[in-house]
C-alpha cells in the first residue's frame, strides 16, 4: 500500500532512479498558511550529500507544489507536490541487475512481483522518504497552529549512547547528535566504518510536546500503535520503543507506573500514552535503524536464477542511514498526530454542537 493515514492521508509515488518522486496529501483543512520556505527547509535537512557522513549523491530536492494551494493558503483539496530526480547514476547498478544485494529488498520484491527496478532499489529505496518529509512539513504547519512541536536527534550510534539530551545541539549538529560529549566518538565511528567500506546502525529519539489529552482511536488505531507502525515503515527501521520501551520490562509495577498529581504526572515512563490515547505528557519514541545494507565489501548472494555469486557493490550510499532518518521520523510523527487531531474532532457531541449551532 502506498497511502498512509485515515482523515489526513499521504500517498507517495516515484522511484529512486525514475524521473521524479512526489506525494499527494489529502485532508488538509482549508485556510492553512502554506509556508513553502519551511517545506523546502525540511527537505534540505534530509537531502543527501551535505557532509562526508552521508551519501555523495547530490540532489537539490527542490519541491514544487502542483495543486491544493491558492495564494499561499490551502484550499481544502488534495495538495500534490513533486521533486524531480537530477543526479541518478543508474549505470552504477548494472552489475547487480541479475543478482540480489544482501540486506536489501531485492530478493523479496523480485519474488513478490516477478520483476524489480534494480536501479538503486526503485520503489524500496530510501529516496522515497523525501516525499514523506514534504508531506510531514505541511502536517507540522498544521500542528504548529495548536502548539504541538516535534523534535528529533541521534541518541545512539554504533553502540555509543547519549547520556544527555540536547535538542538545540542536535539542530546544529551535522549528524543530529543529542549529546555534545558523545558527538565526536559517534562521528569517528561512522567515518571508521565508511573507511572500512562498512556501515553502522543508530537510534533516533523523536518527541512531541504540547500534545493534548485524548489523541488516539482505540482499539485498533491507538496512538502508540500507529506511531510504531509509522516508524517501522521507514526504510531500515528494525525496532520501535514508546517511552521506556524495553527497559520497562526490567521494572516492577511500582517503579513503572507514572504517579499522578494535581499538577500532572511525576514521571513519564509511559512515553505520553495510556491505553493508546495521549495523556498530555511528552510523546517519546525511539526508532532503531539497522546498518545501511549497501556496503562495499564482497558478499555471498545468488542470482535471479538462484546461482551462487559474489556481490560487489558500486554507487553512493550512507554509512549510517539513521542520520537522515531522524528527519523522516519527525515527518512521520507529524503525519500521525495531524491525522489523530482531525479524527478526534468528532468524538464528543460538544465538538459538533460548537461547530454547527
Amino acid at each position: 500500500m502506498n497511502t498512509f493515514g485515515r482523515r489526513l492521508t499521504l500517498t507517495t509515488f516515484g522511484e529512486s532512479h525514475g524521473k521524479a518522486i512526489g506525494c499527494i496529501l489529502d485532508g488538509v483543512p482549508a485556510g492553512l498558511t502554506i509556508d513553502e520556505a519551511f517545506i523546502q527547509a525540511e527537505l534540505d535537512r534530509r537531502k543527501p550529500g551535505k557532509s562526508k557522513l552521508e551519501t555523495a549523491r547530490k540532489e537539490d530536492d527542490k519541491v514544487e507544489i502542483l495543486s491544493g494551494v491558492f495564494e499561499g493558503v490551502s484550499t481544502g483539496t488534495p495538495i500534490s507536490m513533486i521533486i524531480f530526480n537530477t543526479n541518478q547514476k543508474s549505470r552504477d547498478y548494472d552489475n547487480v541487475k541479475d543478482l540480489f544485494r544482501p540486506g536489501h529488498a531485492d530478493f523479496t520484491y523480485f519474488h513478490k512481483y516477478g520483476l524489480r527496478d534494480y536501479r538503486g532499489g526503485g520503489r524500496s529505496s530510501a529516496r522515497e522518504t523525501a516525499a514523506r518529509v514534504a508531506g510531514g512539513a505541511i502536517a507540522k504547519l498544521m500542528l504548529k497552529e495548536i502548539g504541538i512541536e516535534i523534535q528529533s536527534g541521534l541518541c545512539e550510534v554504533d553502540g555509543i549512547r547519549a547520556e544527555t539530551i540536547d535538542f538545540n545541539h542536535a539542530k546544529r549538529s551535522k549528524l543530529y547528535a543529542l549529546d555534545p560529549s558523545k558527538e565526536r566518538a559517534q562521528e569517528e565511528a561512522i567515518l571508521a566504518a565508511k573507511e572500512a567500506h562498512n556501515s553502522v546502525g543508530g537510534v533516533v529519539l523523536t518527541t512531541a510536546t504540547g500534545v493534548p489529552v485524548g489523541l488516539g482511536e482505540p482499539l485498533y488505531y491507538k496512538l502508540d500503535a500507529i506511531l510504531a507502525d509509522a516508524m517501522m515503515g521507514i526504510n531500515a527501521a528494525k525496532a520501535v520503543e514508546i517511552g521506556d520501551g524495553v527497559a520497562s520490562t526490567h521494572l516492577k509495577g511500582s517503579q513503572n507506573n507514572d504517579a499522578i498529581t494535581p499538577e500532572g504526572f511525576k514521571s513519564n515512563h509511559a512515553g505520553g500514552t495510556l491505553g493508546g490515547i495521549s495523556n498530555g505528557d511528552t510523546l517519546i519514541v525511539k526508532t532503531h535503524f539497522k546498518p545501511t545494507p549497501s556496503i562495499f565489501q564482497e558478499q555471498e548472494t545468488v542470482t535471479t536464477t538462484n546461482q551462487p555469486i559474489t556481490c560487489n557493490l558500486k554507487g553512493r550510499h550512507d554509512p549510517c542511514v539513521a542520520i537522515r532518518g531522524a528527519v523522516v521520523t519527525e515527518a512521520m510523527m507529524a503525519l500521525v498526530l495531524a491525522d489523530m487531531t482531525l479524527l478526534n474532532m468528532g468524538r464528543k457531541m460538544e465538538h459538533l454542537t460548537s461547530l454547527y449551532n
Side-chain angles (χ1 to χ4, degrees):
M1 298 295 291
N2 299 293
T3 300
F4 178 83
R6 290 194 177 178
R7 284 287 302 277
L8 181 74
T9 63
L10 179 78
T11 302
T12 69
F13 60 86
E15 293 82 33
S16 175
H17 284 235
K19 186 173 183 180
I21 55 174
C23 66
I24 299 171
L25 189 65
D26 195 4
V28 178
L32 176 69
T33 298
I34 303 299
D35 185 345
E36 293 191 40
F38 174 75
I39 299 171
Q40 187 59 60
E42 290 292 279
L43 283 163
D44 288 347
R45 292 174 62 212
R46 193 221 71 98
K47 74 179 182 181
K50 299 187 302 298
S51 77
K52 58 187 177 180
L53 298 171
E54 301 169 352
T55 173
R57 178 172 177 173
K58 295 286 187 179
E59 290 283 358
D60 290 335
D61 279 356
K62 295 297 182 184
V63 63
E64 182 179 348
I65 297 177
L66 303 179
S67 67
V69 178
F70 180 68
E71 294 183 342
V73 176
S74 62
T75 63
T77 58
I79 298 175
S80 59
M81 293 178 281
I82 193 166
I83 302 165
F84 288 97
N85 293 324
T86 60
N87 192 225
Q88 310 99 311
K89 290 187 177 180
S90 300
R91 286 178 295 181
D92 286 345
Y93 297 89
D94 286 347
N95 68 320
V96 298
K97 179 180 180 180
D98 299 313
L99 59 82
F100 302 124
R101 296 171 297 170
H104 281 269
D106 299 346
F107 183 88
T108 47
Y109 265 67
F110 181 81
H111 283 83
K112 181 176 180 65
Y113 299 107
L115 52 84
R116 81 178 201 271
D117 183 347
Y118 60 87
R119 303 166 304 166
R123 184 68 179 156
S124 66
S125 169
R127 177 88 186 115
E128 178 269 347
T129 61
R132 305 190 201 194
V133 171
I138 294 179
K140 280 188 175 183
L141 292 173
M142 288 178 56
L143 296 175
K144 184 179 179 181
E145 295 290 318
I146 56 175
I148 297 177
E149 181 184 9
I150 298 171
Q151 301 182 97
S152 72
L154 274 179
C155 60
E156 185 176 335
V157 174
D158 196 28
I160 304 168
R161 297 181 181 179
E163 296 178 356
T164 61
I165 303 300
D166 186 343
F167 286 110
N168 287 326
H169 178 78
K171 292 173 184 177
R172 301 187 299 269
S173 167
K174 57 188 174 184
L175 65 153
Y176 305 122
L178 286 166
D179 187 344
S181 70
K182 299 294 183 180
E183 181 175 15
R184 179 71 178 271
Q186 291 172 340
E187 180 176 342
E188 288 176 349
I190 295 170
L191 293 176
K194 182 180 181 180
E195 182 68 22
H197 306 299
N198 217 328
S199 62
V200 295
V203 183
V204 173
L205 172 66
T206 313
T207 67
T209 54
V211 180
V213 179
L215 301 188
E217 304 296 317
L219 285 176
Y220 299 111
Y221 208 66
K222 293 181 178 181
L223 176 57
D224 46 2
I226 302 307
L227 281 170
D229 176 58
M231 300 309 176
M232 281 298 294
I234 300 172
N235 308 68
K238 298 302 290 183
V240 176
E241 296 182 271
I242 309 293
D244 282 359
V246 173
S248 66
T249 66
H250 305 151
L251 303 176
K252 300 291 193 296
S254 57
Q255 298 170 307
N256 188 63
N257 290 344
D258 298 311
I260 309 172
T261 72
E263 291 74 36
F265 294 93
K266 293 184 71 173
S267 56
N268 191 16
H269 300 295
T273 69
L274 289 170
I277 301 171
S278 61
N279 64 12
D281 213 333
T282 300
L283 281 177
I284 300 173
V285 179
K286 284 184 179 179
T287 308
H288 297 247
F289 290 91
K290 70 178 182 180
T292 316
S294 294
I295 59 175
F296 304 111
Q297 296 184 8
E298 287 191 352
Q299 300 173 85
E300 290 184 44
T301 189
V302 296
T303 66
T304 53
T305 57
N306 203 36
Q307 299 302 308
I309 194 172
T310 299
C311 177
N312 289 286
L313 289 183
K314 300 178 182 178
R316 302 158 295 175
H317 308 286
D318 290 277
C320 180
V321 73
I323 297 175
R324 294 195 294 139
V327 184
V328 186
T329 65
E330 288 186 29
M332 297 308 293
M333 181 177 276
L335 289 163
V336 170
L337 291 178
D339 187 32
M340 293 292 185
T341 58
L342 294 173
L343 285 166
N344 193 49
M345 290 173 62
R347 285 297 177 251
K348 295 179 181 178
M349 280 305 302
E350 64 190 65
H351 297 161
L352 297 179
T353 55
S354 65
L355 177 62
Y356 291 110
N357 287 347

